[in-house]
Amino acid sequence: MSHHHNLMADLRQRGVRLTPQREMILDAIHHEDEHLTADEIYQRVQARSPAINIATVYRTLELFKDLHIIHEINLGDCTRYELCQDEPHHHLVCQACGATISLDHAILAPLESKLKKQFGFKAHMEHMVIYGQCAKCQQDAE
Amino acid sequence: MSHHHNLMADLRQRGVRLTPQREMILDAIHHEDEHLTADEIYQRVQARSPAINIATVYRTLELFKDLHIIHEINLGDCTRYELCQDEPHHHLVCQACGATISLDHAILAPLESKLKKQFGFKAHMEHMVIYGQCAKCQQDAE
DNA sequence: TTACGTGCAAAATATTTGCAAGAAG
DNA sequence: CTTCTTGCAAATATTTTGCACGTAA
C-alpha cells in the first residue's frame, strides 16, 4: 500500500471530498522525484484522464497547500510543487548544468538558530534552494 | 553628485547608449529602498514621463541585468529588482506583517564555506531571502 | 438531497516580440 | 548616417474566476 493512500484516507478524516481528480493529482506529485510545475502535473494527469482541466489542477494545488500536504517552491521564474516531508530538506542547484544536490536540514540548523538568537526571527525553512556552481562545472570552467 | 551618475558615465565607457528612459529607470531603482517590481518602476518613470512604455522597462531591466548593474530577486510570485552592491546582503521577510530585516553577509558566510567544503559547491549568494515570522508577530500570536 | 467540485470559457496578470518610426553617437 | 532604442500593438505564458452542470457523501 502506497504512502499516498494513507494521505487520501487522512483527507477523508479531515472532511475533504475525495475525487478522482484529486487522487490523480496527488499521485502525479507523489510519483515524481523532481518538483513539478502546475502544467507538468496537468500533463501527467491528462495522460491518464484527458478531460481534466488546468483550472482544477490549480484549485487542487491551492487546496493541498492549505492542507499542508504540499508546498510551493519558487525557483527563478517557475513555481513548483512537492510533498511536505517530516524533515525539511533543501537543494543546491547548479546554474551551469542544472544538477541538484539534496541537503539535510542539519546543515541549515545553525543558521536557523542564529537568526532566532540574534533577531528573534523564526525562519520557516521548509525548503531552501541555493543556487551556484557544482564542483564538476567549476573544474570544466578552468 | 549622485552615485547613479557615475554608473551612467561608466555605461557610456562600456559603449552603452544613454537614453533618457534608461536614466529614469536607473533613477527609479536607485532612489528606492525597497526592491521594486517591473510595474512599480514603470509607474514611477511614467509619473515623470508619461510616454514611456512597459516594454522599454522590461528591455532595460534585462540590459541592466546583463551588465550586472542590477539583479533580480524572486520573492514568492513577483520578480523584483535592486542595484548590485559590493557586499551581498540578505533579507528576512516576515510572512505575517511583511516586515523585512536586512542581513549582513557575515551571517551566511559560515554556511557558504560549509557548502564549499562538504560538496565543493560554490554558492552564488548575492541576495538570499528567508521567510518566517518576526519577533513581534510571534508575540502577537501567543 | 445538498453542498461542494469540475469543466469550460473568459479574464486578469506578467512578460515577450515584430515592426516602423525616432534618437544616440 | 548608421545602428540601436523606443512605442505600440499583438502574442505568449501563467494563474484566476464566474457559471452551469455533475458528483461525493
Side-chain angles (χ1 to χ4, degrees), chain A residues 33-53:
Chain A
D33 270 345
E34 353 139 36
H35 313 142
L36 302 177
T37 62
D39 193 65
E40 285 165 350
I41 294 167
Y42 171 59
Q43 283 171 38
R44 274 161 182 71
V45 175
Q46 205 181 34
R48 292 172 57 185
S49 176
I52 188 138
N53 194 274

Side-chain angles (χ1 to χ4, degrees), chain B residues 14-85:
Chain B
R14 294 208 251 170
V16 176
R17 280 202 191 169
L18 301 191
T19 67
Q21 290 90 336
R22 288 177 179 176
E23 191 153 6
M24 286 187 291
I25 289 166
L26 189 55
D27 236 30
I29 300 169
H30 191 253
H31 283 25
E32 290 289 335
D33 270 345
E34 353 139 35
H35 313 141
L36 302 176
T37 62
D39 192 64
E40 285 165 350
I41 293 167
Y42 170 61
Q43 282 171 37
R44 275 161 182 70
V45 175
Q46 204 182 35
R48 292 173 56 185
S49 177
I52 189 140
N53 194 275
I54 185 78
T56 302
V57 174
Y58 277 107
R59 282 186 286 226
T60 304
L61 291 174
E62 179 93 23
L63 172 76
F64 286 173
K65 230 177 7 175
D66 291 346
L67 294 170
H68 297 102
I69 295 176
I70 62 174
H71 58 239
E72 240 181 57
I73 313 161
N74 271 88
L75 327 179
D77 53 345
C78 57
T79 307
R80 294 177 172 275
Y81 301 87
E82 66 161 9
L83 287 180
C84 292
Q85 306 197 266

Side-chain angles (χ1 to χ4, degrees), chain A residues 71-103:
Chain A
H71 59 239
E72 240 180 58
I73 313 162
N74 271 88
L75 327 177
D77 53 346
C78 57
T79 307
R80 293 177 173 276
Y81 300 87
E82 68 162 9
L83 287 179
C84 293
Q85 306 197 266
D86 299 340
E87 263 303 286
H89 70 288
H90 313 277
H91 283 113
L92 304 179
V93 177
C94 177
Q95 290 174 315
C97 70
T100 65
I101 302 170
S102 284
L103 282 189

Side-chain angles (χ1 to χ4, degrees), chain A residues 15 66 95 119 124:
Chain A
D66 292 345
Q95 290 174 315
F119 304 96
H124 295 332

